[in-house]
Amino acid sequence: VIVIKKGFIWNGCTLAINTKKTMTASLIHDVLYQIKIIDRNKCDKIFYKLLKLYDFEFSLLYFLGVKIFGWIFY
């Protein structure tokens, strides 16, 4: 269980288009990157699974984006 307090600030999908289907996944991904309770690989897999759960058509592309560039922010 992850509790995200009201007022948490995040920027959505960095360097990508944000949609209703990506906002929740990017919020959880950003929180996991910041608190670092699990490794980066698991954070990225959760992001991908959430994008697929919301039936986002570019899930794989966004996942590859965090796999390639996520190290900058983790």
Side-chain angles (χ1 to χ4, degrees):
V1 174
I2 297 172
V3 176
I4 302 169
K5 293 185 178 183
K6 184 177 180 177
F8 177 81
I9 298 173
W10 91 107
N11 64 350
C13 293
T14 306
L15 303 175
I17 296 171
N18 292 293
T19 71
K20 288 181 181 181
K21 292 183 177 184
T22 63
M23 293 304 287
T24 301
S26 69
L27 171 61
I28 293 170
H29 187 252
D30 282 10
V31 168
L32 292 173
Y33 262 38
Q34 287 186 29
I35 62 176
K36 297 184 182 183
I37 58 171
I38 58 176
D39 65 54
R40 188 180 144 228
N41 188 44
K42 288 181 184 174
C43 293
D44 295 346
K45 285 180 181 177
I46 290 169
F47 176 67
Y48 180 61
K49 287 180 182 182
L50 288 168
L51 290 174
K52 287 184 64 147
L53 178 70
Y54 289 107
D55 198 30
F56 182 58
E57 61 187 290
F58 301 108
S59 299
L60 183 58
L61 181 64
Y62 277 47
F63 172 70
L64 293 174
V66 298
K67 293 305 290 177
I68 294 168
F69 300 107
W71 64 271
I72 297 168
F73 305 100
Y74 185 77

